[in-house]
Amino acid sequence: MKTAVIPQVRVEPELRTQLEAALQPGETLSGFVEATVRSAIEFRRMQTRFHERGQTAWENHERQGVSIPADEVLLKLQAKLDAKRKQLGG
């Protein structure tokens, strides 16, 4: 598969300087931009899925009138967080 080029983006010289200063040793500007774009794409995918799940949950609630109290949800989330911290040794 052939590669494609992302359009050039004009930025202020100060931003370019800050970007170059943020590069890790051996990292190229192109590599940084590509990694950042990939990360942003993944973030947008997760954000879209989150909104879709929220919309589905809201529609189910409107249809069925059933919901889970916020306190119960927060307790479950805290339990998941505690378990993950324990798993990671923190």
Side-chain angles (χ1 to χ4, degrees):
M1 176 170 69
K2 289 186 177 182
T3 59
V5 176
I6 295 175
Q8 291 182 358
V9 178
R10 292 210 170 275
V11 297
E12 298 291 327
E14 182 181 343
L15 179 59
R16 171 74 186 237
T17 300
Q18 292 172 350
L19 173 56
E20 289 171 343
L23 295 176
Q24 299 293 323
E27 185 177 34
T28 65
L29 183 59
S30 295
F32 178 84
V33 170
E34 180 183 354
T36 303
V37 168
R38 288 180 186 279
S39 178
I41 290 168
E42 182 58 24
F43 176 81
R44 294 278 177 99
R45 283 187 190 139
M46 289 187 299
Q47 189 178 45
T48 298
R49 287 194 303 260
F50 175 81
H51 286 285
E52 288 169 350
R53 289 191 314 271
Q55 184 63 36
T56 299
W58 177 250
E59 290 169 1
N60 287 338
H61 170 69
E62 286 185 319
R63 221 177 20 259
Q64 300 169 359
V66 177
S67 63
I68 301 171
D71 290 344
E72 188 177 325
V73 172
L74 292 174
L75 285 172
K76 287 181 181 181
L77 289 173
Q78 187 64 53
K80 285 183 178 185
L81 180 60
D82 293 344
K84 186 54 107 173
R85 282 184 174 151
K86 184 177 181 181
Q87 176 188 356
L88 296 173

